[in-house]
Amino acid sequence: MVQLVERLHRHFLDVLRTELRRVGNEEINAVQALLLFNIGQEDVVIRDLRDRGYYHGSNVSYNIKKLTELGYLTQERSPHDRRATRLSLTDKGFAISRVVGELQQVLVQNLKRHNVTDDSLRTAFGTLEHLERTWTDYIRYGPN
């Protein structure tokens, strides 16, 4: 299961890299595009991205710095907590976020053409959520 999850993630990054090239964007990588998508419409605090488990320490810091330098993100210090930096997408960032969202819709349609039903997708999603919860509980509470 672990190997499959890792492989699927790598394959999705490959698909995303291919899509970025198709739309003429070779300025950012697939991980950075996914980061933009996960920020989406919200203003997000960097710490929240890490806490959600999407990204790890220095990797997220590097990618945020790079995306800001390239004009995909803006950063603003929180007026209430000077340690917190809020991120929001620029128009350029929203354009990439839309590319990722549209790609996901195309991939879902491709699955449906191969007779993958909404019910089977919901079941797979539920199973993966249970797997995540099991691993998270193990980290927090041990092997009980």
Side-chain angles (χ1 to χ4, degrees):
M1 178 72 91
V2 174
Q3 291 171 333
L4 178 59
V5 169
E6 286 184 82
R7 240 184 0 258
L8 287 170
H9 179 67
R10 281 194 310 273
H11 284 317
F12 180 71
L13 291 176
D14 290 340
V15 168
L16 188 47
R17 194 172 2 267
T18 300
E19 184 65 6
L20 287 171
R21 276 195 302 260
R22 190 188 72 72
V23 300
N25 186 311
E26 296 194 25
E27 190 172 49
I28 64 172
N29 64 40
V31 170
Q32 291 165 338
L34 198 53
L35 178 67
L36 293 171
F37 179 76
N38 286 326
I39 292 170
Q41 301 288 334
E42 305 173 32
D43 283 353
V44 177
V45 176
I46 295 172
R47 178 183 53 237
D48 291 345
L49 289 172
R50 284 191 207 123
D51 290 349
R52 290 179 194 173
Y54 294 142
Y55 310 95
H56 300 285
S58 64
N59 188 17
V60 73
S61 298
Y62 167 80
N63 284 318
I64 287 169
K65 180 177 185 245
K66 187 76 173 166
L67 289 167
T68 301
E69 288 171 358
L70 293 170
Y72 291 90
L73 284 176
T74 60
Q75 296 185 40
E76 182 181 315
R77 290 266 181 223
S78 170
H80 305 293
D81 181 356
R82 302 298 294 162
R83 296 169 296 167
T85 301
R86 298 197 75 67
L87 304 171
S88 57
L89 300 184
T90 63
D91 289 343
K92 198 173 171 182
F94 279 118
I96 294 298
S97 181
R98 276 191 299 279
V99 166
V100 177
E102 290 166 4
L103 170 64
Q104 289 183 2
Q105 292 305 311
V106 167
L107 295 173
V108 167
Q109 292 309 312
N110 286 344
L111 285 172
K112 288 180 179 181
R113 280 201 308 259
H114 294 294
N115 299 319
V116 176
T117 65
D118 288 342
D119 284 343
S120 64
L121 286 175
R122 273 191 285 280
T123 300
F125 185 78
T127 301
L128 291 171
E129 279 186 319
H130 286 298
L131 180 61
E132 178 184 33
R133 195 169 309 121
T134 299
W135 291 350
T136 301
D137 287 350
Y138 187 90
I139 291 165
R140 289 184 181 151
Y141 310 115
N144 294 330

